[in-house]
């Protein structure tokens, strides 16, 4: 919405055809001319604009709670082939905390209690836990050894890949910024160029309005004079209709 000397200029763009799910019949299109709308800095105009925006939001059929309603529905996920993932999906959807994996009890080993000193099953369980703990420590040592040998080179390769990825993302971001800047420059040029035409049309519209009001005022004065003359003629007993009929043949000759 653009304003020029207090006059409101509204330009509405057509609904985008790239969104087939949006209803064009019920679409509420709001367009603006930010490069020539320089009256928003005026506190009086700002207060009026804010009031109109609030009123439009109250009357709008779109609510913040259903801003995704016009988008296509999400596909239904099927976790038949992966029940574990389906269970985790339902957990996240329900907002439940994740299940904590207890590693301490798995690798922690303690001697059988005094009451089970002669229990073979308790000693076998203790032996299995000790073997698991020992195997875990061996794997940790192997990982540390592999990390000490291969870690620096792997980190260098990973850093190189990250640098290449960063360079590519920066180049794409720069290209997008250039495209955005190009669009903004075109919009600014188009709006500033159109502003002269809008101002000329607005000035012409105001002049026509003034002329119409002058004509209406002149017509009202003439009608008042005609009514006054008719009353005066009626008071003097003159029949204006007969005189007008007698004047018409003379005008035709």
């Amino acid at each position: 919405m653009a304003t020029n000397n207090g006059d409101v200029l509204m330009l509405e763009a057509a609904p985008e055809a790239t969104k087939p799910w949006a209803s064009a019949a019920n679409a509420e299109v709001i367009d603006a001319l930010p490069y020539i709308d320089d009256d928003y800095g005026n506190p009086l105009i700002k207060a009026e604009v804010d009031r109109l925006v609030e009123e439009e939001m109250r009357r709008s059929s779109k609510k913040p709670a259903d801003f995704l309603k016009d988008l296509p529905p999400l596909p239904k996920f099927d976790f038949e082939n992966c029940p574990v993932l389906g269970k985790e999906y339902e957990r996240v959807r329900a907002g439940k905390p994740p299940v904590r994996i207890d590693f301490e009890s798995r690798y922690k080993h303690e001697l059988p209690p005094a009451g089970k000193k002669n229990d073979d099953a308790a000693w076998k369980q203790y032996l299995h836990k000790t073997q698991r703990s020992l195997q875990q420590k061996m794997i940790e040592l192997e990982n540390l050894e592999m990390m000490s040998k291969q870690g620096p080179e792997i980190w260098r390769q990973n850093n190189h890949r990250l640098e290449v990825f960063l360079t590519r993302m920066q180049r794409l971001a720069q290209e997008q910024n250039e495209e955005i800047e190009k669009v903004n420059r075109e919009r600014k040029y188009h709006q500033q160029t159109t502003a002269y035409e809008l101002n000329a049309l607005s000035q012409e519209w105001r002049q026509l309005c003034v002329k119409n009001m002058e004509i209406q005022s002149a017509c009202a004065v003439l009608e008042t004079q005609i009514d006054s003359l008719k009353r005066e003629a009626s008071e003097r007993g003159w029949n204006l209709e007969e005189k007008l009929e007698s004047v018409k043949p003379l005008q035709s000759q």
Side-chain angles (χ1 to χ4, degrees):
M1 182 175 64
T3 59
N4 183 22
N5 297 329
D7 298 331
V8 179
L9 307 176
M10 178 66 73
L11 295 179
E12 294 186 355
E16 297 182 8
T18 57
K19 299 180 180 179
W21 59 83
S23 177
N26 300 326
E28 297 181 7
V29 182
I30 301 176
D31 200 1
L33 301 175
Y35 294 102
I36 61 176
D37 284 344
D38 54 355
D39 294 333
Y40 193 70
N42 189 337
L44 298 177
I45 295 180
K46 182 179 183 302
E48 179 65 16
V49 170
D50 293 341
R51 185 189 66 80
L52 294 174
V53 170
E54 292 178 359
E55 181 181 356
E56 181 69 19
M57 291 178 65
R58 286 194 301 269
R59 294 188 292 105
S60 177
S61 60
K62 292 183 179 295
K63 303 299 180 182
D66 55 354
F67 67 98
L68 297 178
K69 185 174 61 176
D70 294 335
L71 296 178
L74 293 176
K76 295 183 179 180
F77 296 100
D78 187 5
F79 299 102
E80 293 182 357
N81 298 328
C82 189
V84 176
L85 184 59
K87 185 177 180 180
E88 185 67 12
Y89 174 78
E90 294 297 333
R91 180 195 64 78
V92 175
R93 186 177 182 184
K96 297 180 180 179
V99 179
R100 184 173 179 271
I101 301 177
D102 188 7
F103 291 101
E104 295 181 0
S105 61
R106 179 177 179 85
Y107 298 106
K108 184 178 181 181
H109 53 281
E110 296 178 352
L111 292 173
K116 295 184 178 181
K117 290 295 184 179
N118 298 323
D119 189 354
D120 293 341
W123 281 103
K124 288 181 179 180
Q125 185 178 4
Y126 169 76
L127 179 61
H128 291 163
K129 286 187 177 181
T130 306
Q131 290 176 347
R132 284 200 301 266
S133 178
L134 179 61
Q135 184 66 28
Q136 175 67 17
K137 296 302 180 182
M138 292 177 61
I139 293 175
E140 291 178 358
L141 290 175
E142 291 178 358
N143 289 335
L144 289 175
E145 185 179 358
M146 292 177 61
M147 180 63 68
S148 63
K149 292 181 179 179
Q150 307 295 336
E153 182 63 26
I154 293 176
W155 276 106
R156 281 192 292 269
Q157 294 178 3
N158 183 62
N159 290 337
H160 177 70
R161 286 193 296 269
L162 291 177
E163 290 176 355
V164 173
F165 180 76
L166 176 61
T167 303
R168 180 172 176 270
M169 290 295 102
Q170 289 177 343
R171 185 178 70 255
L172 293 177
Q174 183 178 0
E175 293 176 357
Q176 292 296 325
N177 290 332
E178 291 176 355
E179 290 293 329
I180 294 173
E181 186 66 23
K182 179 181 178 181
V183 172
N184 289 335
R185 284 197 300 267
E186 292 178 355
R187 291 182 62 202
K188 182 177 181 180
Y189 173 77
H190 176 69
Q191 292 182 18
Q192 290 180 345
T193 304
T194 310
Y196 297 103
E197 183 179 358
L198 292 175
N199 293 333
L201 293 175
S202 179
Q203 184 67 22
E204 182 180 358
W205 174 78
R206 283 194 294 271
Q207 292 176 357
L208 292 175
C209 289
V210 171
K211 289 182 180 180
N212 289 336
M213 289 186 290
E214 291 176 353
I215 293 173
Q216 290 178 355
S217 178
C219 290
V221 172
L222 291 176
E223 289 177 354
T224 303
Q225 293 178 356
I226 291 173
D227 293 338
S228 177
L229 292 175
K230 285 183 178 180
R231 285 194 301 270
E232 183 180 355
S234 178
E235 292 175 357
R236 296 185 180 185
W238 295 348
N239 192 346
L240 296 178
E241 294 181 358
E242 292 180 356
K243 291 185 177 182
L244 290 174
E245 291 178 356
S246 62
V247 171
K248 288 181 179 179
L250 296 177
Q251 291 180 349
S252 61
Q253 292 178 359

